[in-house]
Amino acid sequence: LDWQCVQEYSDIRYEKAEGIAKITLNRPEVRNAFRPQTISEIRAALSDARFDEQVGVVILTGQGDLAFCSGGDQRVRGDSGYQDDTGTHHLNVLDLQKEIRSIPKPVIAMVAGYAIGGGHVLHLVCDITIAAENARFGQTGPKVGSFDGGFGASYMASLIGPKKAKEIWFMCRQYDAVQALNMGLVNTVVPLAELEKETVQWAREMLVQSPIALRVLKSAFNAGLDGQAGIQELAGNATMLFYMTEEGQEGRNAYLEKRQPDFSRFKRQP
Ligand code: 1HA
């Protein structure tokens, strides 16, 4: 694909081509570990992808073949979070996780090499994961003095079952791509040389589908686990669809025309 740079960033690359937005963590010297700045930049790119009507699918990936992402940059880990240039401590990857889940477009994690720690949770919360044969997955929290008891635990458990999820967290082992596939952690495993080609193929197969169907399905998949916030998102889609109907518009029109609404022509569906 002929990727076009959308905007220059320091920690990521943000490109688009043919309805696909690609966000690449670009800190290969630390296996694409993220610092607060990295997360802010991804959030900005994701927001752009959300509002761009031409974008139908987002790919999240890491620079190079060695890593997707190795989690929080331990060099800037302070005593209550990851420090930005002003010294403020953040756990802002948690906001990004929510945004990946709520952007109403499929997000595909394209994983070569390590997806570890907070980097592993990032691929987890993506809708689809395409793994290269050299991909390696795992959590390190209990080893490095951290844990993600949010989606990192609960969503992982809903994905692969509580037994496997506890094994991954309690033992901090690493798993290869085939093990990950067998657990249901990833959708497919492909040779490294074909990783992007295959990922783009998956994106294209989604791009031809109904945008609203994918949007509502994505929020429906999240709704149960997300509780009231999940219902709010799903219901927001119902409101959007209602606004798109003549019945919904009759209410607005009547208000603006200062008359009583006439809903009599609209059927009560069985
Ligand atoms: O748990 C959370 C959170 C929970 C709640 C809320 C927010 C959270 C936010 C973040 C996190 C976390 O991510 S905690 C987990 C942090 N990550 C790790 O513990 C992984 C650390 N890295 C590794 O285990 C390994 O580097 C690796 C398996 C990914 C790759 O191993 P490899 O290929 O043998 O490379 P290695 O030599 O270890 O690393 C290459 C360079 O990258 C090293 O630097 P150098 O010696 O060349 O100067 C290494 O220090 C650096 N590097 C790798 N990962 C990180 C890192 N530097 C800083 N932070 C890293 N995460």
Side-chain angles (χ1 to χ4, degrees), residues 29-31 70-74 82 91 93 114 118 140 144 146-147:
E29 66 285 0
V30 284
R31 300 292 187 266
S70 63
D73 186 332
Q74 299 304 301
Y82 296 83
L91 296 174
V93 74
Y114 289 102
T140 63
V144 298
S146 180
F147 57 83

Side-chain angles (χ1 to χ4, degrees), residues 82-121:
Y82 296 83
Q83 293 187 70
D84 66 19
D85 291 342
T86 70
T88 304
H89 293 59
H90 300 264
L91 296 174
N92 56 350
V93 74
L94 299 176
D95 298 304
L96 173 61
Q97 292 171 5
K98 286 196 281 189
E99 287 160 6
I100 290 173
R101 284 168 61 81
S102 67
I103 181 175
K105 303 173 180 181
V107 180
I108 306 177
M110 180 167 88
V111 179
Y114 289 102
I116 293 284
H120 187 255
V121 179

Side-chain angles (χ1 to χ4, degrees), residues 246-264:
E246 278 183 40
E247 184 177 338
Q249 290 164 15
E250 167 61 12
R252 174 201 61 194
N253 293 344
Y255 178 81
L256 292 175
E257 291 161 16
K258 300 190 189 302
R259 59 173 172 82
Q260 285 302 310
D262 176 11
F263 292 114
S264 62

Side-chain angles (χ1 to χ4, degrees), residues 11 30 43 55 142 146 152 173 184 201 224-226 263:
D11 290 12
V30 284
R43 294 178 68 194
V55 169
S146 180
R173 285 184 184 168
Q201 175 59 27
L225 194 67
D226 291 356
F263 292 114

